[in-house]
Amino acid sequence: KQEVTQIPAALSVPEGENLVLNCSFTDSAIYNLQWFRQDPGKGLTSLLLIQSSQREQTSGRLNASLDKSSGRSTLYIAASQPGDSATYLCAVANSGYSTLTFGKGTMLLVSP
Amino acid sequence: DAEITQSPRHKITETGRQVTLACHQTWNHNNMFWYRQDLGHGLRLIHYSYGVQDTNKGEVSDGYSVSRSNTEDLPLTLESAASSQTSVYFCASSIAGDGTDTQYFGPGTRLTVL
């Protein structure tokens, strides 16, 4: 059974810092890995999706990397802003038609 | 614009009552999913469907049922609501087999069972 762990559970940083969120998974036979953002009281918004054959994906100030062999992914946020404050969730799919297994998330607070 | 909607957004019910949560998407996605989100557990899969007349059980399906009579809708029914089913429920959809399989989430329904 796939298990997804996210560290840290919470993170507080001042505006402008670069930061890294971590995600690890137990079964390396994945199809893809997704990073989501969730604002309080809202649904999830997909940020980045990395296919198993890819090593990284970038969107603006966000960069996600994937190391299947070690069962790890990182989400790098450059020059953090207060608007980045949210919970970030990592999720893994084990096949093309598979359901997602989610980590419990990292709650990020960026202070002005 | 295409979207995924859930109704109601908030619901309070009593133990033992039947409750149905609605999910409607206008993307014509084949795949639809129901999750519940609880503190300390994250998101857990309840039921999912890969197309009309197809339904499958997820990790926490006991006490829940779904039916898929058309592409757009996947209602979630709690047959006899229990206090343990107090949670926030999210519906999601995705395209089948397009290689990206990004899931798109609805805004959620907060259900309280008294």
Side-chain angles (χ1 to χ4, degrees):
Chain A
K1 177 187 172 185
Q2 180 72 272
E3 294 183 1
V4 180
T5 303
Q6 292 188 245
I7 295 173
L11 182 63
S12 182
V13 300
E15 182 177 6
E17 274 204 8
N18 302 324
L19 57 98
V20 174
L21 308 181
N22 296 292
C23 172
S24 61
F25 44 95
T26 54
D27 183 354
S28 61
I30 67 169
Y31 183 74
N32 63 47
L33 183 145
Q34 297 181 53
W35 284 94
F36 292 87
R37 169 185 173 136
Q38 184 177 27
D39 293 291
K42 306 285 188 179
L44 281 68
T45 300
S46 181
L47 297 173
L48 291 165
L49 182 149
I50 311 176
Q51 300 290 356
S52 62
S53 58
Q54 297 173 325
R55 295 299 299 266
E56 66 178 325
Q57 282 285 343
T58 298
S59 176
R61 293 182 295 107
L62 305 180
N63 175 276
S65 67
L66 174 64
D67 184 343
K68 271 183 41 177
S69 61
S70 66
R72 295 177 186 275
S73 175
T74 61
L75 179 66
Y76 175 83
I77 302 178
S80 59
Q81 303 171 358
D84 295 329
S85 298
T87 296
Y88 291 81
L89 294 147
C90 168
V92 171
N94 280 101
S95 76
Y97 290 88
S98 176
T99 55
L100 293 176
T101 302
F102 281 85
K104 295 180 181 178
T106 294
M107 185 182 299
L108 173 66
L109 176 64
V110 182
S111 304
Chain B
D1 284 346
E3 60 177 355
I4 181 166
T5 58
Q6 295 183 236
S7 62
R9 295 294 313 279
H10 301 271
K11 174 79 174 177
I12 300 174
T13 191
E14 296 178 343
T15 301
R17 290 191 181 260
Q18 183 180 80
V19 177
T20 297
L21 308 183
C23 175
H24 178 80
Q25 52 97 2
T26 59
W27 281 301
N28 203 35
H29 286 171
N30 285 332
N31 301 342
M32 295 185 73
F33 309 85
W34 274 104
Y35 297 89
R36 60 178 288 174
Q37 185 174 37
D38 305 284
L39 279 175
H41 289 282
L43 278 108
R44 293 179 291 174
L45 182 67
I46 305 171
H47 281 286
Y48 56 104
S49 168
Y50 290 146
V52 176
Q53 302 301 328
D54 176 75
T55 61
N56 305 278
K57 294 182 179 180
E59 178 187 358
V60 291
S61 60
D62 287 348
Y64 303 94
S65 64
V66 294
S67 62
R68 187 94 179 267
S69 59
N70 59 52
T71 300
E72 296 80 16
D73 299 289
L74 187 69
L76 177 71
T77 297
L78 287 67
E79 303 295 343
S80 178
S83 57
S84 60
Q85 294 177 310
T86 293
S87 186
V88 181
Y89 291 86
F90 288 100
C91 179
S93 70
S94 70
I95 299 172
D98 74 335
T100 64
D101 220 25
T102 297
Q103 287 193 18
Y104 298 88
F105 281 74
T109 293
R110 182 174 296 275
L111 177 67
T112 302
V113 183
L114 302 176

